Amino acid sequence: MELRHLRYFIAVVEEGGLTAAAERRLHTSQPSLSRQIRDLEYEVGTALLTRTPHGVDLTPAGRAFLDHARLAVAQANTAVEAARRAARPAKPTFEVGFLIGEEVDWLSTVTRALGEDLAKLELRISSGYSPQLAEDVQQGKLDVAIIRREPGPDLEYRLLGREPLSIILPSDHRLASREAIDLADLAGDPFIGFSDVPHVLRDVVQACLRRRGLDIEPVHRIDNFAMGISLVASTRGFAMLPAYATNFLPWSVVSRPLAGETPTIDLLLGYHRANSSPVLRALLGRLEEPAAL
């Protein structure tokens, strides 16, 4: 009995017949496949399949054999992959976290900045909320993360840019045709604010409202921009989101700049000050130049 016999048997069962398995999956002739199945049944010592007008059915012995055949093939595949991994030289890993949504604009920037180092390492990518990403950097689970400024005694930051905040509102809103919107004109509309999770963004928005002398209480508090966009569409309210969120707006929601002074929120590259990774140091060095941004 050989592994190919098991693979042929599994293919016949999953395709529902010898002809279908031979043509679609195994790219062999039906008589040749029938012979291989007969050889397998001879080795096992009992019939595994019965032919029917519609294909094949498993015998009780075949049903018992199928699970073990699948396990044997899976273990063989695992053994092959383990051997191939062992034969390849191990690559150092470099783990990068992105504030959810920011990978759309910044993943390509990071990979370009890594340059030739990228081919020499295993790059691992994750997305999440800023507080959790900062905690992962603090604990050494991430080498670097594109986040907001979070508290952490061992965190260092590099400024990547300052993102303007925009007004997000329904596309058929009475003010949607304006090129820029004054917050005071939205004072009577439902306001979608922020919870304690995106606390940096919450503070920036609240400071903006205070500077303009507006006391607008949120009707909902959100954790992320996707939730905010959904609530704007469903409640016909408005929200203030960083400009990158406009990449994800559906047709029913539009973005407009604020009239007057535009509030911004810092976007930062956060890393652990004790991280001695040469890849991290190279990345920081390349991001120092404005052209790298």
Side-chain angles (χ1 to χ4, degrees), residues 64-146:
F65 186 78
L66 178 62
D67 288 341
H68 292 283
R70 283 173 168 157
L71 180 59
V73 170
Q75 288 176 329
N77 292 338
T78 301
V80 170
E81 182 57 31
R84 289 173 177 169
R85 284 198 305 269
R88 293 193 296 262
K91 289 185 177 181
T93 61
F94 190 71
E95 308 211 21
V96 184
F98 290 88
L99 189 65
I100 293 174
E102 290 287 0
E103 59 267 51
V104 173
D105 293 327
W106 283 96
L107 178 56
S108 60
T109 300
V110 170
T111 54
R112 283 197 306 270
L114 288 171
E116 294 180 357
D117 290 332
L118 189 60
K120 304 172 187 176
L121 55 85
E122 181 182 346
L123 181 64
R124 296 179 182 174
I125 304 298
S126 61
S127 301
Y129 298 140
S130 184
Q132 183 58 56
L133 292 173
E135 181 66 22
D136 289 345
V137 172
Q138 181 79 26
Q139 295 179 2
K141 296 177 182 178
L142 293 173
D143 288 289
V144 70
I146 293 180

Side-chain angles (χ1 to χ4, degrees), residues 115-239:
E116 294 180 357
D117 290 332
L118 189 60
K120 304 172 187 176
L121 55 85
E122 181 182 346
L123 181 64
R124 296 179 182 174
I125 304 298
S126 61
S127 301
Y129 298 140
S130 184
Q132 183 58 56
L133 292 173
E135 181 66 22
D136 289 345
V137 172
Q138 181 79 26
Q139 295 179 2
K141 296 177 182 178
L142 293 173
D143 288 289
V144 70
I146 293 180
I147 51 176
R148 309 301 180 194
R149 187 176 297 276
E150 305 290 346
D154 300 316
L155 297 181
E156 298 280 352
Y157 292 99
R158 173 74 53 80
L159 179 66
L160 296 177
R162 292 185 170 91
E163 297 180 299
L165 266 60
S166 300
I167 296 291
I168 308 296
L169 71 172
S171 55
D172 59 352
H173 192 276
R174 68 184 188 282
L175 304 180
S177 61
R178 294 188 182 181
E179 292 186 3
I181 296 176
D182 191 324
L183 272 173
D185 293 336
L186 289 166
D189 290 50
F191 173 47
I192 314 301
F194 294 95
S195 71
D196 292 338
V197 175
H199 62 96
V200 179
L201 184 55
R202 178 202 61 199
D203 293 346
V204 169
V205 170
Q206 290 178 344
C208 174
L209 294 174
R210 286 196 301 270
R211 284 196 303 272
R212 296 174 185 232
L214 299 174
D215 183 16
I216 303 176
E217 189 66 24
V219 295
H220 297 283
R221 296 184 184 273
I222 59 175
D223 291 342
N224 57 75
F225 72 83
M227 187 187 302
I229 292 169
S230 297
L231 283 171
V232 167
S234 61
T235 68
R236 303 197 55 75
F238 74 97

Side-chain angles (χ1 to χ4, degrees), residues 18-62:
L18 289 158
T19 302
E23 294 177 353
R24 296 181 204 163
R25 191 145 152 194
L26 300 174
H27 308 293
T28 187
S29 67
Q30 190 269 337
S32 174
L33 180 57
S34 294
R35 188 164 54 252
Q36 298 291 339
I37 296 299
R38 284 197 303 271
D39 290 346
L40 174 63
E41 290 177 324
Y42 176 80
E43 289 292 333
V44 174
T46 187
L48 303 175
L49 300 169
T50 56
R51 280 63 172 176
T52 71
H54 304 292
V56 295
D57 284 337
L58 286 166
T59 65

